[in-house]
Amino acid sequence: MIRLTELKLPLDHPEDALPALIVKTLGITPAELLRHSIYKRSYDARKQKLLLVYIADVELASPELEQTLLRQFEATPHIRPAPDQSYHLVARVDSAPAVRPVVVGFGPCGIFAALLLAQMGFKPIVLERGKKVRERTKDTWGLWRKGVLDPESNVQFGEGGAGTFSDGKLWSQIKDPRFLGRKVMTEFVKAGAPEEILLVSKPHIGTFKLVKVVEHMREQITALGGEIRFQQRVSDVLIDDGPDGKHIRGLTVQNLQDGSSYELRADHVVLALGHSARDTFAMLHERGVFMEAKPFSVGFRIEHPQGLIDRARLGQHAGHPLLGAADYKLVHHAANGRSVYSFCMCPGGTVVAATSEVGRVVTNGMSQYSRNERNANAGIVVGITPADYPGGPLAGIAFQRQLESHAFTLGGGTYAAPGQLVGDFVAGKASTQLGGVEPSYKPGVLMTDLASALPDYAITAMREALPAFGKKIKGFDMFDAVLTGVETRTSSPLRITRGDDFQSLNVRGLYPAGEGASYAGGILSAGVDGIEVAEAVAKEMVKMHTEMLGRKATS
């Protein structure tokens, strides 16, 4: 097959326009085009006339014609052989080992690590401290509607991970030469996600659809012999210190349903913790697992009317059903050396209470598949480094907690979020009432002065950035736009560093993975990392089994 890129057509083009353009581009007859499929569809809104941009895979009448055309267009970068994107398992065992691999955490990374291990026949055991996704949804709504937090079942903890209560974005900027992202997307579609996610340039699923997708993936894992244990919190790691270094040998697990504890034998453990497993990070640090502080970002959520963003980004095409709600991506380098940027932009979504700890306020963003809520929201965050929070690998967590506790106080101590109008924030004066933008955050927003919610350098940089963003997107710095705080869980504040073999630098058999270990940032990249880690586990287990058989044969 041949892949054609940069095929541009008007927004409301007829159905036969794309095959006609393919025929014209290749200089062939309509009869020589057997079939085509859309690999990706995006749009180019940089000029006044908005155009749809297609990537299409094309099958021609004969292999000879295909080779002739590839030679003819060898110097044309937009006409190339279609790459093989099929996925092939790296290992397959007929029976699960006596000591099965364990996956800790059942967010996107843990789901795909477990799914791949199950597909390869290893029958993994999954330990998830939270509840099944539907029970977890009820608990999450308990915080949003009643101000009652369950520290073990919330936006951060439970089946599906933090990505379940997000926009369900499925794009990433990671390098993906093996097309593992395609494997992730294909598995999502297999589990009930819309097939559209395979072709649109910025696919998303949305929370309600993600709930069903996650359930179906769980069913696939268990059907393949995997075992998923909910409300099981890993409270300790059992590490042997042998002549060739430290090895994981098991886990101490607390059953949160009845308070009991047990030990689980394990030689291969995938740590897919998520970025908010703070107590687990502390335990691992105490046990000597190598980790280091890393940069992350802090800031606020900002809300505008979605219509304002649509008009600014899409102009006369705003509201077109094929385009949907418009998004944006912004960055500003402030005079004080700080970078301010938009993060996790949620078109037509809501700002959600995302804390996992009592007495703290954290904001995040979420959208449904329809993206039809009245407001657009995004994090507006400032990059920080370990120099801003010195003190070792856990210092970033302490810094986050300090900001989140202060936000709880600023919000009145009821899990309401402190808020401020953009105009007042830039002017440096407290807000006393809302304007034309009604914030979506539940349990509610208390209008105040956010100047003390972040360090001075962050406030200064954001006050400079917002008017600059208003020059890029007309109305972005509108007086009535609402800021709510604080956004602190942008990424993990530490890295559980691993080697080229995906194992911990100093504990063999321990595989740090996903967002919590700082090897992913979002659903898609976390899923890809889960696949790669599962492959590494499988290869290591097969290698160990082969070596054991070899020793038996020679003894």
Side-chain angles (χ1 to χ4, degrees), residues 93-299:
V93 295
D94 295 328
S95 59
V99 181
R100 294 151 65 185
V102 176
V103 177
V104 182
F106 204 51
C109 180
I111 288 173
F112 277 93
L115 179 64
L116 265 292
L117 287 168
Q119 290 176 346
M120 290 185 280
F122 289 94
K123 298 183 179 179
I125 297 171
V126 178
L127 303 174
E128 167 55 55
R129 69 190 293 169
K131 299 178 183 178
K132 294 181 179 179
V133 67
R134 290 191 185 273
E135 297 174 54
R136 174 193 178 201
T137 300
K138 294 178 182 178
D139 293 333
T140 301
W141 279 100
L143 172 61
W144 295 351
R145 290 175 171 170
K146 302 176 183 177
V148 178
L149 172 69
D150 183 339
E152 297 291 349
S153 182
N154 46 64
V155 165
Q156 307 297 344
F157 298 142
E159 184 178 26
T164 303
F165 296 96
S166 70
D167 191 43
K169 299 178 186 68
L170 296 175
W171 69 89
S172 173
Q173 295 179 327
I174 61 171
K175 294 180 180 179
D176 189 18
R178 296 176 55 207
F179 304 102
L180 297 181
R182 195 71 174 179
K183 167 70 170 173
V184 171
M185 306 282 263
T186 301
E187 291 293 348
F188 278 141
V189 171
K190 181 180 174 183
E195 289 192 26
E196 176 191 67
I197 68 172
L198 292 172
L199 65 94
V200 296
S201 63
K202 293 183 177 181
H204 74 285
I205 298 179
T207 292
F208 288 168
K209 288 184 181 292
L210 268 170
V211 167
K212 295 179 181 179
V213 168
V214 166
E215 288 179 325
H216 289 158
M217 296 186 80
R218 182 217 309 163
E219 292 167 1
Q220 291 180 47
I221 294 167
T222 55
L224 291 167
E227 180 184 349
I228 302 168
R229 304 177 185 178
F230 292 99
Q231 294 181 268
Q232 309 291 303
R233 183 171 63 84
V234 173
S235 57
D236 206 353
V237 289
L238 308 176
I239 298 173
D240 281 353
D241 198 351
D244 56 346
K246 295 181 178 181
H247 293 257
I248 189 76
R249 288 292 177 255
L251 305 168
T252 301
V253 184
Q254 183 182 8
N255 185 331
L256 298 178
Q257 299 175 74
D258 59 18
S260 63
S261 293
Y262 61 93
E263 289 187 2
L264 178 64
R265 178 83 165 84
D267 295 328
H268 299 84
V269 176
V270 177
L271 287 176
L273 300 174
H275 58 45
S276 292
R278 292 167 168 175
D279 51 355
T280 310
F281 293 147
M283 177 272 292
L284 293 169
H285 183 254
E286 186 177 343
R287 292 291 174 262
V289 176
F290 184 85
M291 58 183 67
E292 54 193 329
K294 60 167 278 292
F296 64 106
S297 300
V298 296

Side-chain angles (χ1 to χ4, degrees), residues 342-549:
S342 59
F343 169 80
C344 186
M345 194 273 154
C346 298
T350 55
V351 179
V352 299
T355 186
S356 55
E357 295 182 334
V358 173
R360 297 189 169 99
V361 163
V362 181
T363 60
N364 197 7
M366 184 182 85
S367 294
Q368 301 300 344
Y369 180 72
S370 60
R371 289 178 166 176
N372 62 1
E373 299 293 335
R374 64 181 180 274
N375 289 349
N377 76 80
I380 300 297
V381 297
V382 180
I384 58 176
T385 73
D388 297 311
Y389 44 91
L394 303 181
I397 293 174
F399 184 72
Q400 288 175 323
R401 282 173 164 158
Q402 177 186 346
L403 298 180
E404 294 165 12
S405 295
H406 185 56
F408 182 79
T409 300
L410 283 176
T414 62
Y415 293 107
Q420 190 173 11
L421 302 183
V422 163
D424 288 333
F425 175 78
V426 172
K429 65 177 184 178
S431 293
T432 57
Q433 61 183 17
L434 292 169
V437 179
E438 183 181 348
S440 57
Y441 176 97
K442 304 296 181 185
V445 175
L446 180 66
M447 302 308 288
T448 183
D449 187 348
L450 291 174
S452 66
L454 296 174
D456 289 344
Y457 57 77
I459 297 295
T460 298
M462 291 179 69
R463 283 176 174 158
E464 178 185 320
L466 288 168
F469 291 159
K471 295 177 181 177
K472 297 178 181 180
I473 297 179
K474 186 178 180 180
F476 195 89
D477 57 343
M478 65 180 287
F479 194 97
D480 288 358
V482 178
L483 296 168
T484 50
V486 287
E487 180 99 2
T488 51
R489 312 277 181 102
T490 53
S491 66
S492 181
L494 57 83
R495 175 176 288 109
I496 307 177
T497 316
R498 68 192 186 196
D500 293 339
D501 60 0
F502 292 88
Q503 298 185 59
S504 162
L505 291 185
N506 67 336
V507 181
R508 300 291 299 171
L510 202 61
Y511 293 79
E515 285 209 40
S518 289
Y519 288 99
I523 294 173
L524 184 65
S525 61
V528 168
D529 199 57
I531 292 173
E532 292 187 308
V533 169
E535 291 177 339
V537 170
K539 290 176 181 177
E540 182 69 14
M541 294 184 74
V542 168
K543 175 186 171 186
M544 291 176 61
H545 181 68
T546 302
E547 290 174 349
M548 181 188 69
L549 292 178

